């Protein structure tokens, strides 16, 4: 499993605006030649960490959206612990 696979799955969630590096850019995975910001995929049993910016208002409470993101990540990585941080929200202007 690759951090980019996790990133792509999370970004496909309709409430996710973008991934975020978190404080000091520490939520990231480093790969040869680039890094995947917003996903830290350590070695098990370390948790998979994901930091996101979400659209707001949302049709569901933030806790529910975070739980949905955990499910999305687990579909990629299996039954590992997943920690989701909502780093920020952005107002959904309805434009698209």
């Amino acid at each position: 499993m690759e951090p980019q696979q996790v990133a792509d799955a999370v970004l496909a969630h309709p409430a996710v605006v973008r991934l975020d590096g978190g404080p000091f850019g520490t939520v990231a995975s480093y790969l040869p030649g680039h890094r995947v910001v917003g996903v830290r995929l350590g070695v098990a049993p370390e948790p998979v960490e994901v930091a996101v910016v979400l659209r707001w208002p949302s049709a569901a409470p933030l806790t529910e959206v975070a739980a949905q993101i955990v499910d999305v990540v687990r579909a990629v990585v299996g039954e590992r612990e997943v920690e989701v941080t909502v780093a920020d929200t952005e107002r959904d202007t309805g434009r698209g």
Side-chain angles (χ1 to χ4, degrees):
M1 101 200 79
E2 294 273 337
Q4 190 61 55
Q5 292 172 304
V6 174
D8 292 343
V10 171
L11 288 168
H13 190 286
V16 175
V17 175
R18 67 178 174 278
L19 294 166
D20 187 87
F24 310 108
T26 58
V27 181
S29 292
Y30 295 87
L31 303 170
H34 75 286
R35 67 185 187 133
V36 178
V37 175
V39 176
R40 183 169 34 208
L41 185 63
V43 178
E46 293 176 353
V48 177
E49 295 180 54
V50 178
V52 294
V53 176
L54 299 178
R55 286 181 180 78
W56 189 257
S58 174
L62 290 180
T63 54
E64 187 175 319
V65 174
Q68 293 169 4
I69 293 170
V70 167
D71 291 342
V72 165
V73 173
R74 283 195 178 138
V76 177
V77 302
E79 287 300 315
R80 286 184 57 183
E81 181 180 350
V82 178
E83 296 177 357
V84 175
T85 300
V86 177
D88 203 354
T89 59
E90 285 189 6
R91 178 161 293 285
D92 187 356
T93 61
R95 297 180 193 166

